[in-house]
Coordinates of all heavy atoms in Angstrom, one line a residue:
Q116 N 26.9 -14.6 21.4 CA 27.3 -15.1 20.1 C 26.2 -16.1 19.6 O 25.9 -16.2 18.5 CB 28.7 -15.7 20.1 CG 29.2 -16.2 18.8 CD 29.3 -15.1 17.8 OE1 29.5 -13.9 18.1 NE2 29.1 -15.4 16.5
S117 N 25.7 -16.9 20.6 CA 24.7 -17.9 20.3 C 23.4 -17.3 19.8 O 22.8 -17.7 18.8 CB 24.5 -18.8 21.5 OG 23.4 -19.7 21.2
I118 N 23.0 -16.2 20.5 CA 21.8 -15.4 20.1 C 22.0 -14.9 18.7 O 21.1 -14.9 17.9 CB 21.5 -14.4 21.2 CG1 21.1 -15.0 22.5 CG2 20.4 -13.4 20.7 CD1 21.0 -14.0 23.6
C119 N 23.2 -14.3 18.5 CA 23.5 -13.7 17.1 C 23.4 -14.8 16.0 O 22.7 -14.5 15.0 CB 24.9 -13.1 17.2 SG 25.4 -12.5 15.6
E120 N 24.0 -15.9 16.2 CA 24.0 -17.0 15.2 C 22.6 -17.5 15.0 O 22.1 -17.7 13.9 CB 24.9 -18.1 15.6 CG 26.4 -17.8 15.6 CD 26.9 -17.3 14.3 OE1 26.5 -17.8 13.2 OE2 27.6 -16.2 14.3
S121 N 21.8 -17.7 16.1 CA 20.4 -18.1 16.0 C 19.6 -17.1 15.2 O 18.8 -17.5 14.4 CB 19.9 -18.3 17.4 OG 18.5 -18.6 17.3
A122 N 19.8 -15.8 15.5 CA 19.0 -14.8 14.8 C 19.3 -14.8 13.3 O 18.4 -14.6 12.5 CB 19.2 -13.4 15.4
K123 N 20.6 -14.9 13.0 CA 21.0 -14.9 11.6 C 20.4 -16.1 10.8 O 19.9 -16.0 9.7 CB 22.5 -15.0 11.4 CG 23.2 -13.7 11.7 CD 24.7 -13.8 11.5 CE 25.4 -12.5 11.8 NZ 26.9 -12.7 11.7
H124 N 20.4 -17.3 11.5 CA 19.8 -18.5 10.9 C 18.3 -18.3 10.7 O 17.8 -18.7 9.6 CB 20.1 -19.7 11.8 CG 19.5 -21.0 11.3 ND1 20.0 -21.7 10.2 CD2 18.4 -21.7 11.8 CE1 19.2 -22.8 10.0 NE2 18.3 -22.8 11.0
N125 N 17.6 -17.9 11.7 CA 16.2 -17.7 11.6 C 15.8 -16.7 10.5 O 14.9 -16.9 9.8 CB 15.6 -17.2 13.0 CG 15.7 -18.3 14.0 OD1 15.8 -19.5 13.7 ND2 15.6 -17.9 15.3
L126 N 16.6 -15.6 10.4 CA 16.3 -14.6 9.4 C 16.5 -15.2 8.0 O 15.8 -14.9 7.1 CB 17.3 -13.4 9.6 CG 17.1 -12.2 8.6 CD1 15.6 -11.6 8.8 CD2 18.1 -11.1 8.8
D127 N 17.6 -16.0 7.9 CA 17.8 -16.6 6.6 C 16.6 -17.5 6.2 O 16.1 -17.5 5.0 CB 19.1 -17.5 6.7 CG 19.4 -18.1 5.3 OD1 19.4 -17.4 4.3 OD2 19.7 -19.3 5.3
Q160 N 14.0 -10.7 14.3 CA 15.3 -11.2 14.1 C 16.3 -10.2 13.7 O 17.5 -10.2 14.1 CB 15.3 -12.4 13.1 CG 14.4 -13.5 13.4 CD 14.7 -14.1 14.8 OE1 15.8 -14.2 15.2 NE2 13.6 -14.4 15.5
R163 N 17.4 -8.5 16.8 CA 18.3 -9.3 17.6 C 19.7 -9.3 17.0 O 20.7 -9.2 17.7 CB 17.8 -10.7 17.6 CG 16.6 -10.9 18.6 CD 16.0 -12.3 18.5 NE 17.0 -13.3 19.1 CZ 16.9 -14.6 18.9 NH1 16.0 -15.1 18.1 NH2 17.8 -15.3 19.5
I164 N 19.8 -9.3 15.7 CA 21.1 -9.2 15.0 C 21.7 -7.9 15.3 O 22.9 -7.8 15.6 CB 20.9 -9.4 13.5 CG1 20.6 -10.9 13.2 CG2 22.2 -9.0 12.7 CD1 20.2 -11.2 11.8

Side-chain angles (χ1 to χ4, degrees):
Q116 184 62 29
S117 175
I118 293 171
C119 173
E120 294 301 319
S121 173
K123 286 180 180 179
H124 176 74
N125 291 342
L126 182 63
D127 183 48
Q160 298 309 318
R163 288 177 67 201
I164 289 170

